[in-house]
Amino acid sequence: MNGFTDRFSDRLEPLGTATGVFLIVMSLATVVGMPWNTNGSALVSIMQLLGIVGTAAIGAGLIWLARTE
């Protein structure tokens, strides 16, 4: 076929890896944007941080799942 598709064991591996990287980058961008500055509640800020960490964990899990044979 070609050099790009021959090095992956699964056709969806590049898509899973790219999606996982995208989720991690977006969670880091969200932290840099500091969304907790726009609300006045500590509970809401904690929930936002838990969502950010959860998104990064899903991204890392997706990368691990895509790269594991």
Side-chain angles (χ1 to χ4, degrees), residues 3-69:
F4 182 72
T5 56
D6 288 342
R7 67 180 203 184
F8 296 111
S9 61
D10 185 13
R11 292 183 329 174
L12 293 177
E13 184 177 346
L15 180 63
T17 303
T19 304
V21 168
F22 175 75
L23 287 173
I24 291 174
V25 168
M26 286 293 95
S27 65
L28 292 175
T30 303
V31 170
V32 170
M34 293 185 288
W36 47 86
N37 285 337
T38 59
N39 61 39
S41 173
L43 180 63
V44 173
S45 297
I46 291 170
M47 297 290 282
Q48 286 175 337
L49 287 174
L50 287 175
I52 292 167
V53 170
T55 302
I58 290 171
L62 185 57
I63 291 171
W64 175 79
L65 186 63
R67 303 289 294 167
T68 304
E69 296 207 26

